[in-house]
């Protein structure tokens, strides 16, 4: 056999092997993992707020998802309502199920997020559902007065919210004492509510000398929007 024929024969064998391998891969494709489950925005009145939400600590958005043992890590993608495409926001580990986004988060701008998981073979999953949230300014200047009645005061200077949700807890054991939905006055920056005005408190009156903590959540004017004030502690005299 001449040298040229040998070369042609070798190339023919390589083509056959390549086509055979491609057929095997086509018949047995690498499975793409199902998408991880990202959690939507929780109701404002639940005690454990799992999902995409505001947080009391700073001006940031919490994104949360369900852990899945098939994944060795996750990638979170983000875009604002002004962006055309998503960009990578964070690379996360297999034990991560929560991310606090405080990077370039601007009030009154809606942000969108989805995640992907990667399995032990390095194969990335389908994209999760997309969740979104719009952060608005926090209530501020929280204080308590108790001359005639126990009154909770706060201020808010952004556009009118849909609802305030006042949450009062025992500062020692974190037990909920009172949660109240309060309509905005729409008349002034100063808002207030008398303790147990709606009859929903778990105790009739607070105990002098005992420590309590409270905050004011704001339900925004559109779906999946709002804020949570910083915690305010006090001891009733």
């Amino acid at each position: 056999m001449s040298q040229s024929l040998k070369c042609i024969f070798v190339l023919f064998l390589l083509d056959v092997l390549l086509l055979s391998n491609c057929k095997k891969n086509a018949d047995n494709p690498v499975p793409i993992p199902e998408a991880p489950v990202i959690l939507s925005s929780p109701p404002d009145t639940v005690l454990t707020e799992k999902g995409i939400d505001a947080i009391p600590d700073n001006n940031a958005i919490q994104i949360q998802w369900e852990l899945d043992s098939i994944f060795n890590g996750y990638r979170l993608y983000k875009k604002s309502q002004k962006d055309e495409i998503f960009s990578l926001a964070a690379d996360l580990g297999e034990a991560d199920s929560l991310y606090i986004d405080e990077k370039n988060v601007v009030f009154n701008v809606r942000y969108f997020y989805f995640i992907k998981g990667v399995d032990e073979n390095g194969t990335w999953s389908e994209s999760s559902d997309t969740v979104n949230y719009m952060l608005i300014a926090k209530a501020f200047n929280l204080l308590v007065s108790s001359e005639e009645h126990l009154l909770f005061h706060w201020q808010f200077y952004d556009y009118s919210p849909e609802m305030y949700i006042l949450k009062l807890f025992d500062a020692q054991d974190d037990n909920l004492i009172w949660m109240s939905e309060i309509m905005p006055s729409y008349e002034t920056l100063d808002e207030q509510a008398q303790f147990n005005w709606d009859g929903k408190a778990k105790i009739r009156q607070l105990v002098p000398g005992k420590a309590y903590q409270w905050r004011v959540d704001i339900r925004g004017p559109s779906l999946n929007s709002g804020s949570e004030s910083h915690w305010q502690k006090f001891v009733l005299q």
Side-chain angles (χ1 to χ4, degrees), residues 54-212:
I55 61 172
D57 299 320
N58 49 24
N59 296 322
I61 297 174
Q62 164 190 290
I63 303 98
Q64 206 164 1
W65 56 93
E66 293 182 1
L67 285 178
D68 193 319
S69 59
I70 70 168
F71 295 128
N72 288 354
Y74 301 89
R75 279 180 176 172
L76 176 71
Y77 295 84
K78 168 187 176 181
K79 82 177 188 72
S80 77
Q81 64 189 54
K82 301 176 182 179
D83 299 326
E84 293 185 1
I85 61 173
F86 283 88
S87 59
L88 180 64
D91 269 307
L92 302 155
E94 62 181 335
D96 293 321
S97 61
L98 182 145
Y99 180 77
I100 303 299
D101 183 19
E102 51 189 342
K103 299 176 183 176
N104 302 317
V105 175
V106 179
F107 291 145
N108 307 323
V109 173
R110 188 166 296 277
Y111 295 92
F112 300 81
Y113 304 87
F114 71 85
I115 58 171
K116 288 186 174 185
V118 62
D119 66 15
E120 61 183 4
N121 299 316
T123 304
W124 286 95
S125 72
E126 300 283 359
S127 300
S128 72
D129 291 339
T130 300
V131 295
N132 66 85
Y133 199 83
M134 183 176 75
L135 200 66
I136 65 176
K138 296 177 182 291
F140 64 100
N141 284 349
L142 277 67
L143 61 90
V144 176
S145 65
S146 56
E147 295 179 0
E148 294 185 13
H149 303 285
L150 182 61
L151 292 175
F152 295 85
H153 306 262
W154 65 94
Q155 291 183 312
F156 184 69
Y157 55 61
D158 208 341
Y159 55 80
S160 298
E162 179 182 314
M163 188 75 69
Y164 298 112
I165 301 96
L166 192 156
K167 298 179 179 181
L168 173 65
F169 291 82
D170 186 311
Q172 294 180 326
D173 57 21
D174 286 331
N175 283 332
L176 177 68
I177 293 172
W178 183 44
M179 184 185 300
S180 181
E181 294 184 274
I182 302 161
M183 288 292 296
S185 65
Y186 300 118
E187 297 176 355
T188 174
L189 299 179
D190 301 306
E191 301 281 1
Q192 68 177 34
Q194 182 178 326
F195 173 66
N196 202 26
W197 68 272
D198 53 4
K200 293 183 178 180
K202 295 185 177 181
I203 56 177
R204 294 187 62 184
Q205 58 185 15
L206 302 188
V207 179
K210 191 174 178 62
Y212 300 93

